[in-house]
Amino acid sequence: MRVVTLKINGQEMSGRDDEDILHVAREHDIEIPTLCQLDGISEWGGCRLCLVEIEGSAKLSAACVTKVSEGMVVNTESERLAGYRKTIVEMLFTEGNHVCSVCVSNNNCELQDMSSDLKIDHISLPYRYPLRTVDASHDLFIFDANRCILCTRCVRVCDEAEGAHTWDIAGRGIQSQLVSDLHQPWGESTSCTSCGKCVEACPTGAIFEKGKAAGEMVKDAKFLVYLAEMKAEKS
Amino acid sequence: MSVRTRAARKNVAVKAPSDDKRWSIVAAVMRKHGSAQSALIETLHSVQSTFGYLDDTALAFVAHSLRIPLSKVYGVATFYSHFRLKPQGKHNCVICMGTACYIKGSARLLQRIDQKYGLKVGDTTRDNQFSLLEARCLGACGIAPAGIFDGRVLGNLASPLVESQLDNWLAESQQNEPKLP
Amino acid sequence: MMIDRKINQQISSPEELANVAAEQLAWQAQYQHRVFVCMGTACQSVQSGAVLTALQAEIKSKARENECLVSPGGCQGNCASAPLVSVPEQDLLYQKVQLSDAEEIIEALAGKPVGRLLCDNKSDFFTMQNRVVTNHRGLLNPESIEDYIAAGGFSALLKALTDFTPEAVVQELQKSGLRGRGGAGYPTGLKWSTVAKTRAEQRYVICNADEGDPGAFMNRSVLEDYPFRVLEGMAIAAYAVGASKGYVYVRAEYPLAVERVTKAIRNAEKHGLLGNKIGSMSFDFQVEIRLGAGAFVCGEETALISSIEGGKGLPCPRPPYPAESGLWGMPTLINNVETFANVVPIISGGAEKYATIGTPTSKGTKTFALSGSIMNTGLVEVPLGTSLRKMIFDIGGGVPDGHKFKAVQTGGPAGGCIPEEHLDATIDYETLMELGSFMGSGGMIVMDDSSCMVDVAKFFMQFCAAESCGKCVPCRVGTAHMHDMLDRITKGEGTMEELGQLESLCDVVKFTSLCGLGQGAPNPVLSTLRFFKGEYLAHIVGHTCPAGVCAPVGQDIRRPTCAL
Ligand SMILES: Cc1cc2nc3c(=O)[nH]c(=O)nc-3n(C[C@H](O)[C@H](O)[C@H](O)COP(=O)(O)O)c2cc1C
Ligand code: SF4
Ligand code: FES
Ligand code: FES
């Protein structure tokens, strides 16, 4: 491991070469939008919101999975990036069925926050209105597929932090869907330990506690960082 | 026995779901690959070629044997379009929808099959005689449009040729039907 | 019935190899007449297997087994005239051979050829090609290691092992200028040197035989006809980069190729040309075959690696590149089938000689699968730098049935459609890229005036949407949206505003997707918009389809019509 110096948005800084751009930027109070990234679990690189420009490269790079290197010159904000990010969030809104006013996570939703941060005032892409279901078979929790953005945070948290691997994505492409075990009702899952980590990890109102009314679900996944650190300490 | 305790007992062969001798073929494939998690796809191939499709029992057996989470096995089985989770017809007809075949009218072949037999891609006839599938290029573009009928590649397909093949299969089932006295 | 000579010995030095070759040649020479029947997928689909049996039975019934040998052979290239039978000593090729022709063909072996079956093998289709990868075309029993050795097979491997250091092999590859044949054209020697330089206990070599491009079958043909050559190329690569384990990842849709490669691995192992202590040297290389399961994205190298590891074919962000961290985290060399097949002539003939073919930046030859609306569909191999016009009108014989050429599609779902006015462009990595297309793996689909370019764009978009792995948002959702928009245009429901939206989605998906599938998915739309915008406008503004695909010519595409 080495310490490298780099420039993000014109600001000189240093970081370790095993760190990614996202974390080095955050340490220096530069916020890059993210959705699929969650501290304490592995990186995924799927939402593409954290894309940044790196000087000398024609391609955009996902900050959450790109390691910093000596002399790197990064730009996290531009009109082009803003446009791309907006369209991607629009895509997420049109892919599922998101009705914020009735959602348990209204005002506590990362997707909602993202759209206000990016100043999205209307959706210009056509809604796809997919047919999706709500699984309320679990004693404690509910999974509403209409609000799922397929970020796989629950899949990773369940596999990596809890070790149960109850969740996974079935199918592919636009047909992808979150399933538990062999696509059984969640309540019949033999692997689920009812630990509730997926509830905290889910950025929207897709996985939530039973009995919560609109706007009542508040999530906090900070404990994952401690879990990960303690695990690393042990090994 | 619960999933968890079974999976936890490393290196103990999981009991096959039934007495069916064919499970030994599947078990042999897993053994050949050292029952490693990386054997998953090869194992699913062997289940499908032995039993024709992958049902929940088979998926659970493979998951427990290779010590892979159920949802992960399900994810893999549904990610790859080659794997089928439902029983297939006795025969199968695969129409190529690759570029060369499309340019040469394979979409019209499918349209025609839909009109005449009421079958869409992925469907099986009600008498289970045949299933209709599509493929992405069979590597036989030189003789496009191409298809596979029960494993045999046929080229330069035209509707009459396809229909005569399908009609044969249907007629076969009517012959086998027990005649009313 | 299979008449073949089988040797049963270990080959451990170039001398022994030469002996085996000489013996096999002598054995072949005792037959006055040799006949080869193509056993490729296209020929087999029209019963070339039965033709082979019929010819062999005919020889038996005439008691001429001692002078005539009928063997299964490889693809002749002109698959449209299948089944093909060739008689090398008479320099003849018979086409569309029926079972009932067997007697006549055998009778004609010494005398006058069977005129009505003759295929003109002096036509441009045959003479304008330059066969390096497919040089024994048709005249090699694909399943016989003896035949392959007699034709010079495995001498490159033993030469590399005895005369070259691993570094020298890498240098030779760099000198040859060979670029990857799997699509992007990355310099092969450079990739090899990265793998060789990365420190690790274990390295892997993977042959990418996923060939998912719809409308491409070169890799299938090379694997079916030259399984030993591909394995030889892989072994040379393994020696050069220091790998002891290799995988051939073949799509399950190619059962014949799977069978041939599986047998070839076993056969080469039996003779000490794969496995432990190859050529009695301290060089081990085990090869295993892995089957795909129907996912185009598994052709992408990181997805392919996840698939070999037993998981879903989900691509991972690069860097790290597989050359540094690939299969099970180890440095992994991954090359296309044809790239490996090219290694053999480079080592046996020398890099200088190889580099004389092609253009300054695109060296060597490339195989193409010509198909669509063209006279001579089939497999061809030409030097890079050949013009598209020569390819389509001379070699391909032009567009049949009085139709007019409209466009040629190269590069598969990430490629583009090139119109008439650019036909003088040459086939090389850079030129195709400038035209908004892509070399890809070598599919070349010719379209005539009966193809609607909006419909073609929709076809490719549907392909990409169905094959998107779903990991990243722009590709997963973007391709679905783009497909819907194109669908509305072909139904006359599109608007000019939506066309603008389609263009901007193309830009987003191209630049924000994680892997090459999403990054390339907009290309067919962009290239048809660039060269055939008029057709889009005809659909949107005029509500007509000039090619008569979305509705018969002159009819309003908005009205529901009975297509048949
Ligand atoms: C979506 C996608 C599909 C691909 N399919 C193939 C394929 O079928 N065969 C292949 O050799 N390369 C394919 N590639 C390219 C590979 O990722 C890789 O670049 C190639 O195998 C490297 O070999 P080469 O250097 O010999 O070309 C594909 C790439 C992408 C992005
Ligand atoms: S671009 Fe498409 S295929 Fe590639 S990772 Fe993203 S969703 Fe998967
Ligand atoms: S946060 Fe980096 S891709 Fe989602
Ligand atoms: S496109 Fe149908 S066989 Fe290739």
Side-chain angles (χ1 to χ4, degrees):
Chain A
M1 188 238 298
R2 274 189 326 149
V3 171
V4 295
T5 54
L6 66 155
K7 224 185 219 175
I8 301 184
N9 296 350
Q11 188 182 332
E12 297 268 3
M13 57 187 75
S14 58
R16 296 194 322 261
D17 67 354
D18 61 348
E19 280 183 302
D20 49 60
I21 298 174
L22 179 71
H23 285 93
V24 175
R26 274 191 194 156
E27 281 156 28
H28 295 85
D29 296 322
I30 296 174
E31 276 306 314
I32 300 174
T34 58
L35 263 184
C36 68
Q37 194 274 340
L38 185 63
D39 281 344
I41 58 175
S42 62
E43 310 299 356
W44 181 241
C47 77
R48 317 304 287 165
L49 285 167
C50 69
L51 285 179
V52 297
E53 298 160 345
I54 298 179
E55 218 160 80
S57 162
K59 292 198 166 168
L60 303 174
S61 305
C64 66
V65 290
T66 307
K67 301 268 179 281
V68 294
S69 61
E70 183 59 43
M72 202 179 225
V73 180
V74 182
N75 184 23
T76 71
E77 298 294 335
S78 72
E79 209 174 306
R80 178 171 175 229
L81 288 175
Y84 287 167
R85 287 173 185 152
K86 266 190 186 171
T87 308
I88 290 172
V89 172
E90 275 194 44
M91 285 181 188
L92 287 174
F93 274 110
T94 58
E95 184 187 22
N97 302 305
H98 298 271
V99 191
C100 298
S101 55
V102 299
C103 179
V104 284
S105 291
N106 193 13
N107 297 325
N108 295 301
C109 168
E110 289 185 37
L111 182 63
Q112 207 178 29
D113 293 348
M114 184 65 64
S115 75
S116 74
D117 288 350
L118 296 175
K119 307 196 174 49
I120 296 178
D121 42 20
H122 78 289
I123 305 286
S124 56
L125 289 170
Y127 284 94
R128 299 185 52 83
Y129 301 116
L131 256 167
R132 292 191 179 171
T133 51
V134 180
D135 180 349
S137 59
H138 197 282
D139 288 344
L140 308 174
F141 316 118
I142 294 179
F143 168 54
D144 182 348
N146 293 293
R147 302 166 184 163
C148 172
I149 58 169
L150 296 162
C151 65
T152 74
R153 276 161 53 158
C154 57
V155 177
R156 285 173 285 151
V157 86
C158 181
D159 177 60
E160 297 165 20
E162 177 62 12
H165 204 120
T166 299
W167 297 113
D168 210 318
I169 305 288
R172 69 181 183 215
I174 196 76
Q175 310 288 354
S176 303
Q177 54 174 327
L178 185 69
V179 297
S180 48
D181 287 5
L182 295 177
H183 202 174
Q184 295 140 306
W186 187 3
E188 290 168 24
S189 158
T190 49
S191 62
C192 176
T193 61
S194 303
C195 72
K197 291 191 183 67
C198 56
V199 179
E200 304 302 328
C202 172
T204 70
I207 304 182
F208 58 98
E209 282 164 21
K210 270 196 173 159
K212 288 278 192 306
E216 285 182 2
M217 186 70 218
V218 183
K219 301 183 177 188
D220 187 358
K222 279 204 251 346
F223 69 96
L224 287 171
V225 180
Y226 305 123
L227 282 188
E229 279 170 359
M230 282 187 297
K231 226 185 225 169
E233 201 70 20
K234 264 192 202 154
S235 60
Chain B
M1 197 170 10
S2 88
V3 175
R4 210 177 310 273
T5 53
R6 231 196 282 184
R9 287 200 332 225
K10 247 191 161 180
N11 299 328
V12 177
V14 177
K15 208 167 154 281
S18 72
D19 294 339
D20 197 322
K21 292 276 180 299
R22 291 176 292 175
W23 287 112
S24 63
I25 304 175
V26 177
V29 169
M30 294 195 275
R31 260 197 318 276
K32 184 177 150 221
H33 291 93
S35 293
Q37 299 199 342
S38 60
L40 176 57
I41 294 174
E42 297 287 314
T43 309
L44 295 179
H45 270 301
S46 81
V47 175
Q48 180 155 309
S49 62
T50 317
F51 294 94
Y53 73 108
L54 313 168
D55 63 8
D56 281 2
T57 319
L59 291 177
F61 171 61
V62 173
H64 298 156
S65 302
L66 299 176
R67 298 178 301 278
I68 303 175
L70 291 168
S71 62
K72 192 166 173 192
V73 171
Y74 189 83
V76 168
T78 52
F79 179 87
Y80 293 99
S81 56
H82 179 80
F83 295 130
R84 323 235 150 252
L85 270 59
K86 278 193 278 189
Q88 298 294 293
K90 258 211 283 231
H91 302 279
N92 66 65
C93 160
V94 185
I95 301 288
C96 177
M97 282 289 279
T99 320
C101 293
Y102 184 79
I103 296 292
K104 293 263 185 145
S106 59
R108 277 195 300 274
L109 292 176
L110 285 179
Q111 248 172 25
R112 177 72 198 157
I113 294 175
D114 188 11
Q115 272 173 2
K116 178 154 176 199
Y117 306 93
L119 284 186
K120 297 217 184 326
V121 170
D123 291 353
T124 301
T125 52
R126 222 167 301 144
D127 58 1
N128 264 335
Q129 268 314 101
F130 70 90
S131 302
L132 178 66
L133 304 167
E134 69 173 14
R136 303 280 188 205
C137 191
L138 308 169
C141 324
I143 47 170
I148 311 181
F149 296 81
D150 279 345
R152 229 183 82 200
V153 178
L154 289 183
N156 302 313
L157 292 178
S159 284
L161 182 67
V162 175
E163 285 167 31
S164 79
Q165 184 58 258
L166 300 184
D167 288 341
N168 275 346
W169 287 340
L170 289 177
E172 196 181 284
S173 103
Q174 272 142 20
Q175 273 164 19
N176 294 343
E177 224 143 87
K179 300 240 162 37
L180 291 174
Chain C
M1 180 171 52
M2 195 76 176
I3 318 159
D4 247 339
R5 177 177 169 270
K6 294 246 177 284
I7 57 159
N8 214 345
Q9 78 209 65
Q10 292 277 315
I11 297 168
S12 52
S13 67
E15 294 72 37
E16 278 177 39
L17 188 76
N19 283 339
V20 171
E23 281 165 24
Q24 180 71 8
L25 285 171
W27 176 79
Q28 288 170 358
Q30 61 174 341
Y31 294 97
Q32 239 171 340
H33 308 292
R34 294 198 71 191
V35 177
F36 291 91
V37 182
C38 174
M39 286 288 130
T41 297
C43 280
Q44 284 205 14
S45 78
V46 280
Q47 313 314 320
S48 64
V51 170
L52 175 73
T53 322
L55 286 168
Q56 287 173 336
E58 176 63 23
I59 284 178
K60 198 151 181 230
S61 78
K62 296 277 157 65
R64 296 175 67 181
E65 291 117 308
N66 292 330
E67 49 156 339
C68 308
L69 180 64
V70 182
S71 317
C75 178
Q76 302 280 352
N78 51 333
C79 309
S81 323
L84 293 154
V85 172
S86 66
V87 188
E89 97 255 2
Q90 287 179 299
D91 192 16
L92 292 180
L93 190 59
Y94 292 125
Q95 61 184 4
K96 307 205 168 160
V97 176
Q98 303 289 313
L99 294 182
S100 52
D101 299 327
E103 190 176 351
E104 256 182 285
I105 291 178
I106 299 299
E107 219 146 79
L109 279 182
K112 209 166 144 288
V114 191
R116 67 191 164 82
L117 296 175
L118 277 184
C119 167
D120 179 9
N121 58 357
K122 297 291 170 295
S123 66
D124 291 347
F125 179 82
F126 292 94
T127 56
M128 287 193 176
Q129 296 192 40
N130 183 351
R131 295 167 186 171
V132 173
V133 169
T134 59
N135 62 344
H136 308 294
R137 176 172 301 168
L139 309 181
L140 203 59
N141 177 351
E143 295 191 7
S144 161
I145 194 167
E146 294 82 4
D147 270 12
Y148 180 64
I149 292 174
F154 286 108
S155 59
L157 173 61
L158 293 189
K159 180 177 172 188
L161 291 180
T162 44
D163 299 352
F164 287 68
T165 59
E167 297 75 31
V169 176
V170 174
Q171 272 167 17
E172 198 67 10
L173 258 289
Q174 283 179 325
K175 262 195 285 179
S176 74
L178 176 65
R179 294 170 67 176
R181 299 294 192 242
Y186 190 81
T188 306
L190 188 58
K191 197 188 270 184
W192 289 24
S193 82
T194 312
V195 179
K197 271 191 286 202
T198 306
R199 254 186 238 227
E201 287 154 32
Q202 174 69 277
R203 297 187 188 81
Y204 296 97
V205 168
I206 297 176
C207 173
N208 187 343
D210 195 45
E211 192 164 60
D213 286 15
F217 56 91
M218 311 74 45
N219 288 176
R220 170 182 64 71
S221 211
V222 170
L223 276 180
E224 285 175 4
D225 294 354
Y226 308 95
F228 293 108
R229 171 174 281 198
V230 175
L231 294 172
E232 186 181 356
M234 287 178 72
I236 296 172
Y239 172 69
V241 304
S244 58
K245 182 119 191 82
Y247 292 91
V248 183
Y249 187 92
V250 194
R251 59 200 300 242
E253 289 90 333
Y254 286 179
L256 186 61
V258 172
E259 185 192 318
R260 294 242 169 105
V261 176
T262 312
K263 281 189 191 162
I265 294 173
R266 240 182 288 141
N267 225 333
E269 278 173 351
K270 208 171 88 192
H271 296 106
L273 294 165
L274 275 185
N276 289 332
K277 302 222 176 312
I278 298 175
S280 294
M281 314 260 295
S282 59
F283 168 55
D284 301 343
F285 185 53
Q286 323 272 356
V287 181
E288 276 184 48
I289 196 159
R290 282 288 179 274
L291 290 195
F296 171 66
V297 71
C298 286
E300 198 278 340
E301 51 192 27
T302 58
L304 189 154
I305 286 170
S306 326
S307 183
I308 292 186
E309 289 172 353
K312 287 189 237 178
L314 301 181
C316 300
R318 299 175 307 174
Y321 287 89
E324 288 153 2
S325 169
L327 191 58
W328 290 299
M330 296 296 160
T332 303
L333 174 70
I334 173 159
N335 275 130
N336 173 259
V337 173
E338 196 180 332
T339 313
F340 284 122
N342 268 297
V343 170
V344 175
I346 290 174
I347 297 299
S348 52
E352 279 89 14
K353 178 161 170 244
Y354 184 87
T356 57
I357 311 170
T359 73
T361 53
S362 303
K363 297 285 183 207
T365 58
K366 174 87 194 77
T367 59
F368 287 95
L370 261 183
S371 64
S373 177
I374 187 146
M375 283 299 288
N376 306 325
T377 55
L379 181 82
V380 298
E381 181 175 355
V382 294
L384 288 166
T386 303
S387 78
L388 284 166
R389 193 181 297 283
K390 186 168 167 186
M391 185 77 163
I392 292 160
F393 288 95
D394 299 339
I395 297 173
V399 175
D401 306 331
H403 280 289
K404 204 174 150 335
F405 172 88
K406 187 184 234 171
V408 55
Q409 208 278 346
T410 74
C417 296
I418 301 169
E420 170 88 47
E421 66 259 34
H422 290 290
L423 278 188
D424 291 313
T426 54
I427 304 168
D428 59 67
Y429 294 97
E430 283 74 21
T431 310
L432 290 178
M433 200 74 100
E434 275 161 32
L435 287 172
S437 190
F438 191 54
M439 178 78 84
S441 52
M444 206 169 259
I445 297 128
V446 178
M447 299 172 196
D448 62 26
D449 48 18
S450 68
S451 286
C452 163
M453 299 320 275
V454 185
D455 183 62
V456 166
K458 181 175 99 175
F459 166 80
F460 280 111
M461 196 52 77
Q462 197 216 346
F463 179 89
C464 290
E467 296 296 332
S468 162
C469 80
K471 178 172 178 172
C472 76
V473 181
C475 170
R476 181 179 78 224
V477 191
T479 54
H481 274 307
M482 289 194 285
H483 173 260
D484 290 353
M485 288 173 181
L486 289 163
D487 189 46
R488 279 195 291 276
I489 295 177
T490 59
K491 291 185 178 140
E493 296 159 8
T495 59
M496 286 310 285
E497 190 198 342
E498 211 172 30
L499 186 65
Q501 208 172 22
L502 174 65
E503 281 181 87
S504 87
L505 267 188
C506 281
D507 177 56
V508 177
V509 175
K510 191 178 169 94
F511 289 100
T512 61
S513 291
L514 194 165
C515 86
L517 196 157
Q519 292 161 5
N523 283 351
V525 181
L526 291 170
S527 97
T528 46
L529 271 173
R530 171 168 162 195
F531 295 121
F532 301 95
K533 189 146 191 180
E535 287 195 34
Y536 281 84
L537 299 183
H539 285 78
I540 296 170
V541 184
H543 305 298
T544 56
C545 174
V549 171
C550 306
V553 181
Q555 207 165 309
D556 193 317
I557 51 178
R558 286 170 300 181
R559 224 167 308 146
T561 51
C562 174
L564 291 161

